[in-house]
Amino acid sequence: MNESALKGGRVSNAIFHLFFVLLSIGILAPFLLIVSVSLTDEKALAEFGYSFIPSRFSLVAYDFILQSPAALLRAYGNTIFITVIGTVLSLLLTSMVAYVVSRRDYRLRVPLTVYIFFTMLFSGGLVPFYILMTQYLHLKDSLWAIILPGMLSPFYVLIMKGFMGKIPHELIESTKVDGASERRIFFQMILPLSTPALATLGLFIAFNYWNEWFNALLFIDNDKLVPLQLLLVRIMNTLDFLRNNSEYIQSLGLDMSQLPNESMRMALVILVAGPMMFIFPFFQKYFVQGMTVGSLKG
Amino acid sequence: MKKVRYVGILMICLALFATACSGGGSGGGTNGPAASGESSAPASASGSESGLPEVTLTWYYGVAQVSPDQQLIEDEVNKIIKPKLNATVKLKPIDFGSYTTKLNTASAAGEEFDLVWTANWAFNYDENVKKGAFLPLDDLIDEYAPETKKAIPDFTWDATKHQGQIYAVPNYQTVISRYGINVIKEYADKYGLDPASVKRYEDLEPFLELIKQNEPGIVPFMLVGPLTKFHPFFWGYDDYGVKLGDETYKVNFLEASPEYKQFVELMHSWFEKGYINEDASTVKQIDSSHNGTFAASIEYTMKPGYEAEIKAKNGGRDIIGIPLTDVTTTRTSNIATLTAISRTSKNPERAMMLIELVNTDRELFNLLSFGLEGKHYEKLSDNIVKTNPNGGYTASNWVFGNVFNGYLIEGQAEDTWEVTEEWNQSAVVQPTFGFNFDDTAVKAENANVAAIRAEYEPLLFTGTVDPAEYLPEYIDKLKKAGVEKVHAELQKQLDAWVAEKKQNG
């Protein structure tokens, strides 16, 4: 009896294992393919197509990109600046807004929450946004044009509110009785208690900033301020665009050989994605806790 | 306490407002403050050149890649134009992949800029003319750009006209279109294909059969779905489906024509016989067709000397181009690259002067196109240059102006410009040339029809599906989408256009 149950457990375990092994392969395989393509000789790519093991090994793509690393390094600098400053400011703002609407003794809590929710459903549209940014805030060609719009996401505010709402209100009251100011309550009590939520949202926000390119595309003309992802998107998009319109371009005579080739694009993908992949494991321990926001916990 | 609270609310409201406005692009506005009346109509400029007040012009144009030496080129450009126009120019090169998004937004938002590059394949010329993004230029051209006007043939100017007005200056270059078949020379020689004997698709069939039997791994006839088109001119129609030589200008429903049926049936039989690559309907990128594993393919623009250009992309294999049509010029081939003046320009007169200067001053044009001698290119002879891909500056000469004023690139024949000019001038000008369909009345129908075309054309043209079953279904769907209404509107406009043309002689 016991033994058969054990066997059953083993079988279902094996099925689960198999499932997750396949899932992991499904996730890893495309990435490995990119790595392999970036290390393959361009001529071999044209001849044999993509393969998991480089048919002819070559480091030319990386050589070429790193040959004049100035643009890449500057883009890295910009992206790191945007990500760090943006994440810190965004976390501060998000937690402050969330804290206010999570306080049960705050009179405007419901209308404010509704207002926040409302902004999730309706947006001004691209053109008004552009006009606001360029003609009223004069943020064209500035890194703030990338940082500011991403600073407060209503969705994150609501997640944070859910988490902070779980903190017993009595705690706040008793601290108040002991004479703590509102500022002190927030910074010394609420924020430390919200570390898991902060870490989780921090990771999300950091990813958003790291991957941001659309605002950069709209607002950044100065080549020195281009973030990493825009550099990548420019190369990928332009190449795809030119190929898809080659019907017209052929007559114009654009020399496609000037453009980066396949292995170079893949090498760039790896250089761009790299750092974030290494950051992820460090956040993982908070991640599990933070994600259970809203469910029952001990 | 209370005060703090209100300040807090205010701050949150402000912050939320910022995010509220940042939401995803909801279809990228068409309106904005557009069409806010005629802005600064070309006032007849007063005063001589020297009396012009100093201005700065902003010029947006497309590039394949933004160059590191951009600033250097801008400084040099300004050295040339400052004494001549008392103006400086701010060059804003944008990569082609972002160009349309960026300029559509900037233009809809009413951003101030002066010169802007436009085309039928990026930052669409017709759409933006209709939105009122550009200034009408007729008077400005007559006054400030007489040389440019003279250098470009009339039919190219006609192609830019919208309701009789010119809205952009063409960057004159190859304006012809010629349709045919590419054959890899190696195979043509090996299997004794006489290029001169191929007049229509069917003539190619024995050759394809030989390839199929003797060259494993080689696709006899390589097609790329979205690029493969039914070319009306080859079958005796023009772009709007009017039979060539038809005096009544009757619009035909091409999909229901016998020629169309004949074409897709032939393609299907070739697909069944295994001449066409199996993934033809889904392959998107042209480079997959250039990896050298095919014997023949379709070519859309056979301009002088194109075989040499393709050779490089094709792993160095020689190509024989077999034209199937005469050299023709179509409206689309004439508006592939243009420079317009934005509605928001504060100095349209000066912008036009700059266009004239770029189109007449060889030094300025070559500086913009190729950069600095010795640094970005080497002169091989008086007229031919060798560009240095790692020099720090690359641009395409055809985004700036008349390419006939510029250098040739290594590999182009000495007489390229002469031959191109000759082809341009001698090309067949199709009867409906210059007519421009305005789809505002049937916008929804036209969009539906386009969606159905995008769905069926790659399948039918590459022969992937059986036309016996899919062609009637396709025609039926087109009718349901309102293709007849579109044709009726097209016919109406075309009749009006013909009447107007007859009146004007």
Side-chain angles (χ1 to χ4, degrees), chain A residues 264-276:
Chain A
M264 219 175 293
R265 296 163 76 191
M266 297 306 164
L268 203 59
V269 168
I270 289 170
L271 290 174
V272 166
M276 270 293 145

Side-chain angles (χ1 to χ4, degrees), chain A residues 168-227:
Chain A
H169 189 61
E170 293 73 22
L171 215 63
I172 297 167
E173 274 175 351
S174 62
T175 325
K176 231 174 168 175
V177 170
D178 287 341
S181 65
E182 289 287 349
R183 188 183 303 148
R184 196 157 166 196
I185 295 175
F186 179 69
F187 283 106
Q188 294 201 329
M189 211 178 73
I190 300 295
L191 276 192
L193 279 174
S194 312
T195 326
L198 285 177
T200 311
L201 288 188
L203 186 72
F204 284 154
I205 294 168
F207 271 133
N208 285 349
Y209 275 119
W210 188 270
N211 291 330
E212 167 55 46
W213 60 270
F214 190 71
N215 287 335
L217 181 146
L218 287 181
F219 301 116
I220 304 290
D221 284 343
N222 186 343
D223 232 34
K224 293 194 171 68
L225 296 176
V226 167

Side-chain angles (χ1 to χ4, degrees), chain A residues 129-130 152 217 221 250 252, chain B residues 19 21 95 102 111 299 398:
Chain A
F129 172 53
Y130 187 87
L152 198 64
L217 181 146
D221 284 343
Q250 268 175 24
L252 297 168
Chain B
T19 35
C21 293
D95 57 295
K102 187 149 180 155
E111 190 174 292
E299 181 64 42
W398 45 261

Side-chain angles (χ1 to χ4, degrees), chain B residues 414-443:
Chain B
E414 191 78 62
D415 62 350
T416 303
W417 292 155
E418 285 78 12
V419 175
T420 308
E421 183 63 50
E422 204 183 299
W423 281 41
N424 278 355
Q425 297 288 359
S426 66
V428 177
V429 178
Q430 298 188 6
T432 55
F433 187 91
F435 169 71
N436 178 17
F437 180 48
D438 178 4
D439 73 348
T440 26
V442 286
K443 212 162 193 149

Side-chain angles (χ1 to χ4, degrees), chain A residues 6 27 34 40 56 74-75 86 108 132 144 150 166 191 213 256:
Chain A
L6 207 67
I27 292 167
I34 292 178
T40 310
R56 233 177 285 146
R74 207 158 42 209
L108 292 176
L132 174 78
W144 290 106
K166 291 278 186 301
L191 276 192
W213 60 270
M256 297 283 274

